């Protein structure tokens, strides 16, 4: 309790863990709230939670609550999952895919992710998982970073087309991207052009300064 109160003055680090995927993982009290950070960016329960919560609001909480199955690619500490369960009151099936077992270990220990009964976690590469799964989803959340870097496969045609295939009609993709330079802006512009008239694509720029959110609805 003392550390939590003292964190309103300065951040209080609880644990630092090495990661093969994100270099360093840290759990820290900041202003009385636990957050999960990599070396250079927030992974869960800080700005990232605000960013993804905005994206979910853009889609609509009432609409999401009626969905049956949600896929989260890139779980980290699970802040978007907590938003789905605690704020939206989503009762359907949530599938979370996270490549880094160290992240899930921290998420379970410090953020009680393993207490969510309608959540199934898979330690797997997101690319491999979407190739293997036969399930279809009403909402696919893509939030995959290695520190501040985004893997190239997220923007390649094969992955984009596979995600589109896994999405039900009237379902949504929520894709969180980071834009730090003109190359990233061009990358996002090219990504947007990959969707046919079967999809309705909206881009929300400068969410928490460096992030751009895509919401993509499959209309037929």
């Amino acid at each position: 309790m003392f550390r939590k109160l003292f964190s309103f003055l300065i951040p209080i680090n609880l644990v630092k863990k090495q990661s093969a995927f994100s270099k360093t993982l840290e759990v820290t009290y900041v202003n009385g709230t636990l957050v999960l950070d990599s070396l250079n960016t927030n992974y869960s329960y800080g700005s990232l939670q605000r960013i993804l919560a905005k994206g979910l609001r853009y889609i609509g909480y009432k609409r999401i609550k009626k969905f049956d199955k949600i896929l989260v690619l890139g779980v980290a500490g699970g802040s978007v999952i907590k938003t789905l369960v605690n704020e939206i009151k989503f009762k359907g099936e949530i599938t979370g895919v996270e490549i880094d077992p160290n992240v899930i270990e921290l998420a379970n220990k410090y953020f009680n992710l393993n207490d969510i009964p309608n959540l199934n976690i898979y330690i797997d590469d997101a690319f491999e998982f979407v190739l293997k799964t036969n399930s279809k989803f009403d909402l696919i959340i893509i939030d995959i970073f290695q520190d501040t870097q985004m893997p190239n496969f997220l923007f390649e045609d094969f992955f984009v087309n596979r995600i589109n295939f896994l999405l039900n009609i009237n379902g949504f993709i929520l894709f969180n991207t980071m834009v730090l330079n003109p190359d990233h802006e061009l990358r996002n512009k090219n990504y947007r052009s990959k969707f046919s008239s079967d999809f309705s694509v909206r881009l929300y720029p400068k969410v928490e300064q460096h992030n751009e959110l895509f919401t993509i609805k499959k209309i037929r």
Side-chain angles (χ1 to χ4, degrees):
M1 181 59 71
F2 173 78
R3 289 183 295 184
K4 185 175 181 179
L5 292 174
F6 200 64
S7 71
F8 285 94
L9 300 176
I10 60 170
I12 304 297
N13 181 257
L14 299 185
V15 64
K16 179 182 286 188
K17 195 176 186 72
Q18 296 302 307
S19 166
F21 301 97
S22 302
K23 298 179 182 177
T24 302
L25 298 168
E26 297 186 7
V27 178
T28 306
Y29 268 122
V30 179
N31 294 323
T33 301
L34 278 177
V35 300
L36 175 63
D37 294 326
S38 67
L39 182 64
N40 295 301
T41 193
N42 174 246
Y43 264 13
S44 287
Y45 300 97
S47 61
L48 180 65
Q49 186 170 26
R50 295 192 298 270
I51 290 165
L52 292 176
K54 286 180 181 179
L56 295 173
R57 283 196 294 271
Y58 295 149
I59 294 170
Y61 279 16
K62 288 183 178 179
R63 176 186 280 135
I64 293 170
K65 191 174 181 179
K66 297 177 183 177
F67 288 161
D68 293 319
K69 299 181 72 172
I70 294 176
L71 174 63
V72 179
L73 298 177
V75 172
S79 57
V80 70
I81 295 170
K82 288 294 187 72
T83 300
L84 290 168
V85 172
N86 296 337
E87 295 186 32
I88 299 177
K89 309 300 181 184
F90 179 74
K91 302 296 185 183
E93 180 182 324
I94 304 173
T95 300
V97 180
E98 172 59 54
I99 196 172
D100 191 345
N102 290 328
V103 167
I104 297 301
E105 181 183 338
L106 294 175
N108 290 337
K109 182 175 181 179
Y110 292 95
F111 303 102
N112 302 315
L113 196 63
N114 52 348
D115 289 344
I116 298 174
N118 56 329
L119 171 65
N120 295 307
I121 293 288
Y122 294 86
I123 305 297
D124 202 352
D125 180 273
F127 185 86
E128 296 294 331
F129 180 87
V130 301
L131 286 182
K132 293 181 291 189
T133 185
N134 294 316
S135 297
K136 294 288 188 86
F137 301 91
D138 303 300
L139 172 61
I140 299 175
I141 300 170
I142 306 172
D143 186 46
I144 298 177
F145 295 89
Q146 294 175 355
D147 197 32
T148 59
Q149 301 299 312
M150 301 189 70
N152 290 331
F153 75 81
L154 295 173
F155 302 91
E156 293 173 354
D157 289 349
F158 186 87
F159 183 80
V160 173
N161 292 336
R162 182 63 182 170
I163 290 293
N164 294 348
F165 172 76
L166 296 178
L167 190 66
N168 286 324
I169 300 295
N170 294 319
F172 282 81
I173 299 165
L174 173 58
F175 186 20
N176 179 30
T177 71
M178 188 172 288
V179 177
L180 300 175
N181 56 54
D183 287 341
H184 293 167
E185 293 177 4
L186 180 60
R187 176 204 66 196
N188 280 13
K189 183 178 180 180
N190 290 337
Y191 176 80
R192 186 172 189 171
S193 71
K194 294 179 183 292
F195 293 88
S196 70
S197 59
D198 291 340
F199 296 85
S200 174
V201 183
R202 293 186 179 182
L203 174 64
Y204 301 89
K206 295 185 178 179
V207 181
E208 297 281 333
Q209 190 175 3
H210 294 302
N211 292 76
E212 287 191 348
L213 285 175
F214 285 93
T215 61
I216 302 155
K217 182 180 181 182
K218 188 175 185 177
I219 55 180
R220 56 179 175 267

